[in-house]
């Protein structure tokens, strides 16, 4: 059916169930399908050139437009909160208020840095960020078959849009819900527009009233792509889901998190920097 499912990175707890979902996605066809995807570490890579690939926040936090003191404070926040975000021994209820704290402190610091709208393209160009291998096929296929790609991100909307634009794949079928910057008349960052989206509130609560929420409710077959346990609720706003296939990238703390990911995601991709599996499934469905 889908040869890529035999790849060494693929783990599936219930293969018959997965085969059933994929068959049903094919039967429903392109007109019923939408792809709901996280951005950072899902569409973008986890590792690149031997190190970590930057998230949309890191691209800005580590850029030359941030003062040395600001960069240090942002790095300290990352070192403190990222282990909490990925701690397998804490519940989502414990993590949620701490994530609000992290994002709020970062956004507060960023608004003190005189960041200019006009700097963003250059910051992204210099960042070394990479989309996962196979991104062009994914974006182009979805566009070709008019399948909506809804990107739901706790990163920074202005940055991730620029990454996609620079990769020449920002097609008309893409909509994004994320944290967007607000600039004053002279183009300087003054605040972030609400509601704040962090790793563990990617659900209805921040989608209500958005334009794409309406638009996406008619597409009842879903492929969901994520890398965090928080990404599992991204499709909760779609009222009558017929079939949903959840594909999870397990990037970090692989051995510790394997069991939990296998229970939650239909397909788990371990240390897989490509979109080959998603592309293989789409090739079969479309
Ligand atoms: P997402 O991939 O679920 O949209 O979440 C965004 C990621 O960004 C999440 O893994 C935490 C990370 N992050 C940073 O790397 N730096 C930051 O300053 C913040 C607030 C988040
Ligand atoms: Mg992510």
């Amino acid at each position: 059916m889908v040869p890529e499912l035999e790849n060494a990175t693929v783990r599936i707890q219930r293969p018959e169930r997965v085969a059933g979902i994929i068959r049903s996605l094919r039967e429903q066809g392109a007109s019923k399908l939408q792809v709901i995807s996280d951005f950072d570490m899902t569409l973008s890579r986890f590792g690149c050139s031997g190190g970590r690939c930057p998230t949309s926040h890191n691209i800005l936090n580590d850029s030359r437009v941030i003062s040395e003191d600001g960069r240090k404070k942002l790095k300290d926040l990352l070192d403190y909160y990222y282990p909490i975000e990925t701690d397998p021994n804490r519940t989502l209820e414990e993590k949620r208020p701490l994530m609000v704290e992290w994002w709020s402190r970062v956004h507060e610091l960023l608004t003190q840095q005189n960041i200019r709208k006009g700097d963003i393209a250059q910051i992204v160009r210099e960042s070394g960020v990479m989309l996962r291998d196979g991104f062009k096929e994914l974006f182009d296929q979805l566009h070709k078959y008019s399948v909506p790609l809804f990107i739901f991100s706790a990163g920074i909307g202005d940055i991730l849009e620029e990454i996609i634009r620079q990769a020449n794949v920002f097609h008309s079928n893409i909509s994004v819900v994320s944290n967007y910057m607000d600039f004053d008349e002279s183009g300087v960052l003054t605040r972030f527009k609400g509601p704040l989206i962090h790793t563990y509130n990617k659900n209805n609560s921040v989608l209500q009233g958005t334009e794409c929420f309406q638009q996406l409710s008619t597409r009842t077959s879903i492929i969901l792509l994520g890398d965090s346990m928080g990404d599992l609720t991204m499709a909760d706003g779609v009222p009558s889901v017929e079939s949903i296939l959840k594909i999870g990238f397990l990037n970090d703390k692989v051995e510790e998190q394997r069991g939990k990911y296998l229970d939650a995601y239909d397909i788990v991709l371990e240390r897989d920097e490509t979109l080959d599996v998603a592309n293989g499934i789409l090739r079969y469905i479309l």
Side-chain angles (χ1 to χ4, degrees):
M1 202 161 76
V2 178
E4 289 78 3
L5 291 175
E6 306 300 322
N7 290 357
T9 55
V10 176
R11 286 185 189 254
I12 299 175
Q13 189 143 280
R14 288 178 290 172
E16 295 79 28
R17 189 186 123 84
V18 167
I21 299 172
I22 294 174
R23 267 196 302 273
S24 137
L25 292 172
R26 182 176 156 119
E27 279 158 23
Q28 315 269 334
S31 66
K32 288 279 173 211
L33 182 66
Q34 62 175 310
V35 174
I36 301 182
S37 181
D38 168 51
F39 184 79
D40 290 304
M41 317 280 114
T42 295
L43 292 175
S44 71
R45 291 174 59 120
F46 178 74
C48 31
S49 25
R52 286 287 300 272
C53 195
T55 62
S56 53
H57 272 102
N58 294 343
I59 288 173
L60 191 59
N61 298 1
D62 297 340
S63 74
R64 59 181 170 79
V65 299
I66 311 288
S67 68
E68 206 171 307
D69 177 57
R71 273 205 295 265
K72 179 171 183 315
K73 286 181 176 148
L74 289 159
K75 172 78 168 50
D76 289 346
L77 290 174
L78 178 71
D79 291 344
Y80 178 75
Y81 287 106
Y82 179 70
I84 298 176
E85 182 196 349
T86 53
D87 183 350
N89 301 314
R90 289 189 204 231
T91 64
L92 294 189
E93 288 66 37
E94 283 176 81
K95 290 181 186 187
R96 255 182 222 114
L98 295 164
M99 294 301 108
V100 173
E101 210 175 86
W102 181 16
W103 262 251
S104 307
R105 292 175 75 176
V106 167
H107 290 178
E108 180 60 34
L109 270 167
L110 290 174
T111 53
Q112 295 162 4
Q113 297 286 324
N114 255 316
I115 295 165
R116 311 190 65 86
K117 191 178 169 66
D119 290 334
I120 289 177
Q122 187 66 15
I123 292 171
V124 168
R125 225 170 277 125
E126 290 171 355
S127 69
V129 68
M130 287 169 82
L131 295 172
R132 283 189 195 271
D133 294 354
F135 77 86
K136 190 166 161 45
E137 177 177 348
L138 181 85
F139 282 76
D140 289 352
Q141 287 306 303
L142 295 176
H143 181 234
K144 179 177 168 194
Y145 290 96
S146 301
V147 173
L149 170 57
F150 168 38
I151 298 174
F152 195 172
S153 167
I156 302 177
D158 308 73
I159 303 271
L160 74 88
E161 281 198 10
E162 185 58 29
I163 297 169
I164 300 171
R165 214 171 285 123
Q166 288 185 12
N168 292 316
V169 287
F170 204 139
H171 304 313
S172 54
N173 60 321
I174 297 179
S175 46
V176 181
V177 169
S178 185
N179 299 300
Y180 278 91
M181 298 165 146
D182 208 357
F183 301 95
D184 65 15
E185 322 74 60
S186 57
V188 174
L189 174 69
T190 52
R191 60 176 202 111
F192 280 79
K193 298 173 188 169
L196 186 146
I197 303 169
H198 58 77
T199 326
Y200 298 117
N201 71 348
K202 293 173 140 191
N203 54 41
N204 280 345
S205 66
V206 291
L207 283 182
Q208 299 292 346
T210 63
E211 218 172 279
C212 59
F213 185 65
Q214 293 290 324
Q215 193 186 312
L216 297 174
S217 57
T218 56
R219 300 268 176 162
T220 52
S221 336
I222 298 170
I223 296 178
L224 179 147
L225 302 172
D227 77 294
S228 141
M229 294 302 285
D231 295 329
L232 289 155
T233 55
M234 292 191 300
D236 284 8
V238 185
S240 44
V241 177
E242 296 251 2
S243 316
I244 177 164
L245 182 69
K246 296 182 178 175
I247 304 176
F249 289 91
L250 177 48
N251 297 313
D252 206 5
K253 302 184 181 163
V254 173
E255 279 70 31
E256 292 151 83
Q257 302 204 86
R258 178 177 292 137
K260 201 168 58 178
Y261 271 64
L262 281 169
D263 288 341
Y265 280 102
D266 301 302
I267 300 175
V268 175
L269 303 174
E270 290 188 4
R271 298 190 183 94
D272 184 337
E273 293 289 5
T274 78
L275 290 160
D276 294 352
V277 169
N279 283 332
I281 293 168
L282 285 169
R283 239 176 272 133
Y284 176 75
I285 295 175
L286 298 174

